[in-house]
Amino acid sequence: MSGENVFPPIRDMPHPGDVNTTTEPRLGVDFGRVIHGGAAVSGEEDTVFLSGDAEEAMRSPATEGMFETLPGLVERFGGRVWVISKCGPRIQDRTLRWLDRNDFYRRTGIAEGNVRFCRKRADKAGHCAKLGITHMIDDRLDVHVALRELVPYLYLFGPQPGPAPEWVRHVRTWTEAGESVTAA
């Protein structure tokens, strides 16, 4: 992508519930196996990032297509995009270091302060409620179950062990994610 916005403007939509009373669309994106991790294409865990040494973790790749697609979505959402990740303190530190090392904020347009962490996957719902997230890309179905009544547009990313439920959109790649979010 040459820096031009390839996505049309996103439509405003009402947000269910009483948390986000604005109509501003807001995107949440998981880190592991969505933003980061070549293992996303195979469905395997990224053991280098999780249990390898720190330097190996820093050299591990972004998910294919992320740096090509996410900047257009950030522009489309007017910068209202957050990374929302479940991890412990050691992986939180690695995540922040990886984002810095890969010039993530400049390359995607996501504000450096727009990164949130929690210790349990279901706790992503609290972040989504507080931030007024309207669209969420995550590779874990249990996260989407926790967000089902809160976030209107849910995108289950990457390979999955079985078919996705009808209430979530299965996107296998960043190209599919960009197209699906655009079509919402």
Side-chain angles (χ1 to χ4, degrees), residues 73-95:
L73 292 176
V74 172
E75 184 176 334
R76 188 165 183 269
F77 278 80
R80 294 179 303 271
V81 179
W82 285 262
V83 176
I84 304 172
S85 183
K86 187 281 304 177
C87 59
R90 185 175 67 83
I91 299 303
Q92 179 176 327
D93 178 64
R94 283 187 177 190
T95 299

Side-chain angles (χ1 to χ4, degrees), residues 32-34 36-50 60-64 139 157-159 172:
R33 295 170 25 113
V34 179
H36 166 271
V41 293
S42 66
E44 299 172 8
E45 291 295 325
D46 184 354
T47 55
V48 169
F49 195 81
L50 298 176
S60 59
T63 301
E64 185 178 336
D139 67 307
F157 188 86
R172 290 161 186 79

